Amino acid sequence: MSRPTRIVAALAAVALIYPAASWYSGTRIQQVLDEHYADMKSHPALKVSERVYERGFFSSTEKLKFDIAMTVTAEDGSLQMGEPLRMSVLNRIQHGPLPRLGTLAAATLDSELDVEGEAGAKLRETLGDKPALQAQTVVRFDGSGHSRMTTPALELELAADTERALRVAFSAFQADIDFGPGMRQYTMKLGIDRFSMEDPSLRIVMSELALDADQRRLFDDEAWLYVGKQRATIASLHAEGKDDGEMAGTDLQLERLSYEVDAPADGDYVDVIAMLGTEVLRVGGSDYGPAHYDFSIKHLHGRTLMELYRSLIEVSSDPAQLALQAEDPAAMFAPLAEPALTLLAHDPEFSIDRISFTSPHGTASLSAHVNLKGIEPDELNNPMMLLAKINAAAEASLPQGLVVALIGAQAQSPQEAAVVAAQLQQQLDMLEAQGFIVRKGGQLSSRAALSKGQLTINGQPLDLFGLGGR
């Protein structure tokens, strides 16, 4: 067989085989999407209302509509069910194995998301014929892939000419997501140059917002519980009250703000360790940075945590429950009681690892932790039994000058300020004599601990019921 004949034969074989391979690729991408929407349906606040899939040999088209339950605040301050947020997605799918002859994959998807209803109409006033979000996705045969999402710049005004008027604006942004089969793990990078919100009393402007995430599912059969790391950074945030609004005089400036969440897992248990910090925290003309707020919740039972989360979403999405809460705000906790008590039975630990800020008078700091070992549900209604199971500790340190300045700021005249300062000094002397505080180097500090029903302040036992007998 001559070389030209071999080439023609090879091309003929490819021409015969490729449609079958493309049909198989189309079957595979439809399976991947079916699994994805099954996960969506497992969320109590999401509802897929319509899905139309038009299958072809080399390409397919999918139209999807889904609703997200939304609550609104009534004039009396209670929560009520509002109109759901309705969105539609159009997917133009090119089948593999060589979609568009550009890559080896099961399929590529060009997706457009639009918002429907009143919110969508307002978006279209700004965007015209541009979709609210676009995505280009490559899906491999194992269900993994990469997606790049982009949005146009947007300025949106809601509830105009009312007390709840809100204007939201942000620059165009891009997100890159690498995902594993079945979305069981993913990494994401997102960046926004500028974001702002403004209502009749306050304007907030953020610049250079970035978000990174590297997460995986704790359980293969649970679509909404991920563990791993997330980090957000903001170059600057400025909140300024308007002269004629309720927030007049507010002037808050933060710079180099970061928020990190690490959620490691150990078997069925997960920890949540969060760190919020800012290099600059300027309130009015005073800078209190660097400032930190770090907290952690450890040894949370994953299955029970998801049960509590679902119960919370269901309560927040049920009109009957919301109506009941309007009459009795405590009513919302009744459906949450059982999973919350079960969660406590797994010995969680709660910590404020660090709250600190710097003032002209020195550094203020606070730390505290509580762990509940072996708590039984019936013990939560018995203070004596509960005290015996709680282990807790707290430590605080404040500059005395800051305490004096804060209390003195309430005085109406220099004479009143002097009286207040003298009274404060007497109170501090009394607290120091009783052992409640320690004064050293201009700092006021105190340590408290509760263990096996015994409370100590700065190492000295305190009678919980006598309040002071040691």
Side-chain angles (χ1 to χ4, degrees):
M1 183 182 292
S2 65
R3 183 178 179 186
T5 302
R6 288 197 300 270
I7 293 175
V8 170
L11 291 175
V14 170
L16 291 172
I17 294 172
Y18 194 85
S22 183
W23 180 260
Y24 169 76
S25 298
T27 300
R28 182 68 187 112
I29 187 60
Q30 190 170 359
Q31 290 173 345
V32 170
L33 292 173
D34 288 345
E35 294 171 3
H36 177 64
Y37 299 134
D39 288 340
M40 287 182 62
K41 291 177 182 178
S42 70
H43 195 287
L46 284 175
K47 178 184 177 183
V48 177
S49 57
E50 181 181 342
R51 184 187 179 198
V52 178
Y53 201 97
E54 298 176 356
R55 175 76 178 276
F57 261 99
F58 301 104
S59 64
S60 299
T61 301
E62 180 185 54
K63 298 177 182 179
L64 180 78
K65 293 186 178 183
F66 61 96
D67 298 344
I68 301 177
M70 302 292 289
T71 57
V72 296
T73 304
E75 293 183 359
D76 62 359
S78 64
L79 289 177
Q80 298 179 1
M81 289 304 301
E83 288 294 320
L85 181 61
R86 293 188 169 91
M87 289 183 281
S88 62
V89 177
L90 172 63
N91 289 322
R92 297 182 177 91
I93 304 166
Q94 296 293 322
H95 301 170
L98 294 171
R100 295 179 177 171
L101 301 178
T103 186
L104 180 63
T108 60
L109 290 80
D110 289 313
S111 306
E112 296 181 357
L113 180 145
D114 280 307
V115 180
E116 300 186 351
E118 182 179 350
K122 290 184 176 296
L123 277 174
R124 284 187 287 276
E125 291 177 3
T126 299
L127 300 178
D129 58 356
K130 297 178 183 177
L133 182 146
Q134 292 180 295
Q136 292 77 43
T137 306
V138 176
V139 180
R140 305 181 187 97
F141 286 96
D142 65 352
S144 65
H146 174 84
S147 184
R148 170 165 290 182
M149 301 181 183
T150 58
T151 70
L154 173 66
E155 184 170 336
L156 180 63
E157 189 167 3
L158 303 173
D161 302 322
T162 71
E163 294 182 356
R164 290 183 290 177
L166 177 67
R167 181 180 292 113
V168 179
F170 53 79
S171 60
F173 70 83
Q174 174 178 299
D176 283 282
I177 302 172
D178 287 292
F179 54 89
M183 277 297 293
R184 288 187 289 274
Q185 67 272 340
Y186 74 91
T187 61
M188 179 175 67
K189 290 184 178 295
L190 179 149
I192 304 176
D193 289 336
R194 183 180 173 84
F195 173 80
S196 66
M197 292 191 302
E198 183 176 357
D199 66 17
S201 62
L202 185 69
R203 175 176 171 80
I204 300 175
V205 179
M206 291 186 289
S207 67
E208 297 181 32
L209 169 64
L211 174 65
D212 295 327
D214 185 353
Q215 299 202 302
R216 65 174 179 84
R217 285 183 185 171
L218 181 57
F219 307 113
D220 284 344
D221 61 345
E222 178 51 71
W224 301 100
L225 179 57
Y226 284 85
V227 296
K229 296 185 178 182
Q230 295 184 74
R231 174 179 169 82
T233 59
I234 298 174
S236 67
L237 184 153
H238 187 204
E240 184 178 17
K242 297 182 179 179
D243 293 339
D244 55 349
E246 297 178 357
M247 304 294 290
T250 300
D251 188 5
L252 175 68
Q253 180 77 37
L254 293 86
E255 296 179 10
R256 297 182 295 282
L257 175 68
S258 65
Y259 180 52
E260 299 182 47
V261 179
D262 187 9
D266 182 7
D268 287 353
Y269 290 87
V270 61
D271 298 341
V272 179
I273 304 165
M275 295 177 287
L276 175 64
T278 180
E279 291 299 313
V280 175
L281 172 58
R282 188 173 295 115
V283 182
S286 301
D287 189 0
Y288 295 93
H292 300 274
Y293 176 36
D294 306 338
F295 66 92
S296 57
I297 309 174
K298 297 182 178 180
H299 207 254
L300 293 170
H301 187 245
R303 296 286 187 185
T304 309
L305 182 64
M306 280 309 303
E307 185 180 348
L308 179 62
Y309 171 72
R310 290 182 188 281
S311 297
L312 180 61
I313 296 297
E314 288 170 359
V315 167
S316 302
S317 308
D318 185 347
Q321 281 287 341
L322 291 176
L324 188 60
Q325 293 169 37
E327 299 177 4
D328 179 12
M332 75 167 291
F333 296 106
L336 309 179
E338 183 175 348
L341 292 176
T342 303
L343 198 64
L344 290 177
H346 286 276
D347 303 338
E349 300 180 14
F350 308 89
S351 297
I352 297 175
D353 301 305
R354 174 175 58 164
I355 296 178
S356 68
F357 61 89
T358 303
S359 76
H361 305 280
T363 300
S365 63
L366 168 70
S367 62
H369 76 267
V370 177
N371 62 58
L372 309 170
K373 295 291 185 181
I375 295 291
E376 299 294 336
D378 57 348
E379 293 175 336
L380 293 171
N381 296 320
N382 189 324
M384 295 299 296
M385 296 182 70
L386 192 60
L387 284 174
K389 295 289 185 73
I390 292 177
N391 288 292
E395 186 170 353
S397 177
L398 288 171
Q400 181 170 328
L402 177 61
V403 177
V404 172
L406 291 175
I407 294 179
Q410 308 301 318
Q412 302 298 316
S413 66
Q415 294 79 9
E416 184 180 348
V419 172
V420 170
Q423 292 175 341
L424 176 62
Q425 187 63 46
Q426 291 177 354
Q427 293 172 347
L428 293 177
D429 290 342
M430 180 180 65
L431 291 172
E432 183 178 23
Q434 293 178 338
F436 289 110
I437 64 171
V438 175
R439 285 194 284 188
K440 184 178 181 180
Q443 290 286 120
L444 307 174
S445 63
S446 186
R447 293 179 292 108
L450 176 63
S451 179
K452 298 179 181 179
Q454 177 63 64
L455 176 65
T456 60
I457 304 292
N458 295 321
Q460 300 297 318
L462 181 71
D463 184 351
L464 280 170
F465 302 99
L467 293 180
R470 296 196 300 275

